[in-house]
Amino acid sequence: MCGKTDMRKGIEGLATLIQDSFELDSYGDSIFLFSGWSKDRYKCLYFDGDGFAMLYKRLDNGKLQWPKNENEVRNLSQQELRWLLEGLSIQQPKAIKSSSKGVF
């Protein structure tokens, strides 16, 4: 996810964008998100093993806190994805961070 995407693109156009511009595997086990200029709508592209599924959502109220450029592209945790799709920043300073396994 990053920047602004031409929301007229369909499955083929978004899959090509993933492969050519970001050099990622659109057939992998990932969900790819795209948003347009107004940040009030997004598309979600996913390969489920036998084909691509695309979800399109237009928000009635509010806008997404969407990354502005390619430097802000990142993998999201499930929690960060939920925050993003709820219109929140994916950087929640008061959230309890996950910890790694410790040694006792």
Side-chain angles (χ1 to χ4, degrees):
M1 63 172 217
C2 85
K4 300 167 181 107
T5 302
D6 181 351
M7 295 302 281
R8 296 174 293 183
K9 289 184 183 289
I11 290 173
E12 292 81 5
L14 294 176
T16 299
L17 184 64
I18 292 165
Q19 292 172 343
D20 294 348
S21 297
F22 299 111
E23 298 179 358
L24 297 171
D25 181 12
S26 58
Y27 290 90
D29 187 28
S30 298
I31 296 172
F32 297 93
L33 297 173
F34 303 90
S35 182
W37 292 93
S38 61
K39 299 180 191 174
D40 67 345
R41 57 198 72 200
Y42 64 89
K43 287 185 178 180
C44 172
L45 187 66
Y46 174 71
F47 183 75
D48 68 359
D50 61 5
F52 283 96
M54 184 172 68
L55 167 75
Y56 176 79
K57 182 168 184 174
R58 182 186 52 83
L59 302 171
D60 284 338
N61 296 306
K63 295 182 184 269
L64 299 169
Q65 300 291 318
W66 202 260
K68 295 173 182 66
N69 58 52
E70 290 182 22
N71 297 332
E72 297 181 14
V73 171
R74 58 183 284 187
N75 290 323
L76 300 177
S77 68
Q78 289 181 359
Q79 180 69 55
E80 291 170 328
L81 175 62
R82 195 179 94 219
W83 285 334
L84 176 72
L85 299 181
E86 289 175 352
L88 301 171
S89 170
I90 56 175
Q91 306 275 322
Q92 293 292 322
K94 299 215 182 235
I96 296 173
K97 306 295 182 208
S98 298
S99 63
S100 58
K101 292 181 181 179
V103 177
F104 292 98

